[in-house]
Structures are given as structure tokens and as C-alpha cells.
């Protein structure tokens, strides 16, 4: 298990628009750095419980975070293959604990997905480009993000992402 990668999980969630369960299941072998994509097995879908496997584009900061997580040796083969070496329940519990410790009452982990998708639209990405990252297949489910105005990438010069991905 990696020593507490919650800061990297948070950045990955924000920039990749991935859900907790998708982050927890992501394996190093699911990552294709040459095409900047991640294979998501059984992505959440309203009509399909299983077999909804999708390749999703990874924006550069998300790819950098994933690549900064080096495979570690572990007694459990399954854990070694995971990018972040943790479970959905641990991600959820640590997120809740961090918000409680910081006095944040109204922030859930899924808000990072919404922020990430909104950011892509604010950067001027098109609906197909954003859908390639988020995995949305329905225009109706993406409409909530389209009222945003283009204003660029507010995280472009964010020093924190540079420090985290270099470790």
C-alpha cells in the first residue's frame, strides 16, 4: 500500500473526472501513456451493470499523477497492480475524515468530478472532447455543465500539481 496518497487521489479525481470506484479499480496495466488514456472496466451506466468497459482520455495533469504512482511490491498481487493501492471505501473514509478535520460540511468526493468536467468546458473543450474524458455517452447527462463560459485553465500554473507529480 502506498503511504497515504490521498493528495494524489484528489488531484487525479479532479483532472481525470473519475469516480471513487474507478480510481480504486484502476491498474497500471489499464494506463496507456502513449495515447493518454485509461481503461475503465464496468464504468457506471444507468442501463448496464457490467460489461460497460470504456477507454477514457486522460488530460496531461491526470496522466502525470498516475505515472507518479510507481508500482510497489506487495504480498497481494491485486494490490500491486492498482495505481493507487487502495479501495473505494478507504478513499471515501479518508475524504470524509479530511473534510471533517478541515471543517468542510458540504463537499463530497463526487464534486471533484463535477469540477473537473466544468473545468474542461471552461477551457473551451467541445462536448465530444469532454465526453472522451468523462465517459458520458448521453448529451442529457452533460447538459448541466454547458452553461459555463470559457475562461481558460485556472489550474494551469498551479504550483501544487507540479510538486505532487515530481515525487
Amino acid at each position: 500500500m502506498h503511504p497515504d496518497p490521498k493528495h494524489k487521489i484528489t488531484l487525479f479525481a479532479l483532472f481525470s473526472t473519475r469516480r471513487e470506484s474507478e480510481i480504486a479499480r484502476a491498474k497500471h496495466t489499464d494506463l496507456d501513456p502513449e495515447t493518454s488514456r485509461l481503461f475503465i472496466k464496468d464504468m457506471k451506466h444507468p442501463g448496464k451493470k457490467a460489461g460497460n468497459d470504456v477507454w477514457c482520455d486522460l488530460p496531461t495533469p491526470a496522466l502525470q499523477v498516475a505515472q507518479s504512482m510507481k508500482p510497489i511490491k506487495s504480498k497481494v498481487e491485486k494490490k500491486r497492480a492498482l495505481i493507487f493501492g487502495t479501495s473505494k471505501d478507504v478513499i471515501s473514509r479518508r475524504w470524509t475524515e479530511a473534510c471533517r478535520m478541515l471543517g468542510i460540511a458540504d463537499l463530497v468526493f463526487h464534486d471533484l468530478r463535477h469540477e473537473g468536467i466544468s473545468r474542461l468546458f471552461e477551457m473551451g473543450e467541445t462536448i465530444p472532447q469532454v465526453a472522451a474524458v468523462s465517459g458520458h455517452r448521453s448529451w442529457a447527462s452533460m447538459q448541466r455543465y454547458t452553461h459555463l463560459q470559457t475562461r481558460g485553465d485556472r489550474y494551469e500554473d498551479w504550483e501544487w500539481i507540479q510538486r505532487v507529480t515530481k515525487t
Side-chain angles (χ1 to χ4, degrees):
M1 184 89 56
H2 290 282
D4 202 26
K6 68 178 159 251
H7 61 300
K8 291 188 179 190
I9 291 170
T10 300
L11 284 175
F12 186 76
L14 174 66
F15 292 116
S16 71
T17 75
R18 303 280 43 95
R19 298 173 178 91
E20 286 168 307
S21 60
E22 296 165 357
I23 293 169
R25 290 191 318 261
K27 297 178 180 179
H28 288 281
T29 55
D30 296 336
L31 188 63
D32 183 354
E34 290 185 26
T35 62
S36 297
R37 295 188 317 159
L38 180 69
F39 183 71
I40 307 296
K41 185 166 176 47
D42 294 330
M43 180 182 274
K44 183 178 176 184
H45 187 281
K48 292 172 79 174
K49 294 290 184 199
N52 191 34
D53 303 340
V54 179
W55 280 99
C56 290
D57 291 352
L58 282 179
T60 300
L63 180 61
Q64 290 172 337
V65 171
Q67 289 178 313
S68 77
M69 298 299 296
K70 304 297 182 213
I72 59 172
K73 293 188 178 183
S74 157
K75 292 180 182 178
V76 181
E77 181 67 29
K78 182 179 176 185
K79 291 290 183 192
R80 180 176 9 166
L82 298 174
I83 293 174
F84 295 101
T86 192
S87 70
K88 176 190 180 297
D89 292 339
V90 170
I91 293 171
S92 179
R93 185 174 65 247
R94 287 186 177 162
W95 179 263
T96 301
E97 290 168 356
C99 287
R100 189 177 310 124
M101 183 179 69
L102 295 169
I104 302 170
D106 60 350
L107 187 65
V108 296
F109 192 86
H110 196 74
D111 291 340
L112 297 172
R113 178 169 165 83
H114 286 265
E115 170 61 19
I117 293 168
S118 297
R119 173 183 166 268
L120 294 172
F121 278 116
E122 289 170 350
M123 291 170 51
E125 300 289 329
T126 65
I127 291 167
Q129 289 169 322
V130 174
V133 173
S134 71
H136 282 99
R137 293 191 178 141
S138 162
W139 163 242
S141 64
M142 291 192 71
Q143 282 182 315
R144 71 183 79 154
Y145 306 104
T146 58
H147 65 280
L148 302 167
Q149 294 182 1
T150 303
R151 60 180 186 195
D153 183 1
R154 64 186 127 160
Y155 298 113
E156 184 175 22
D157 296 320
W158 198 23
E159 183 180 312
W160 198 48
I161 184 72
Q162 301 305 320
R163 284 187 282 157
V164 169
T165 58
K166 300 267 188 277
T167 58

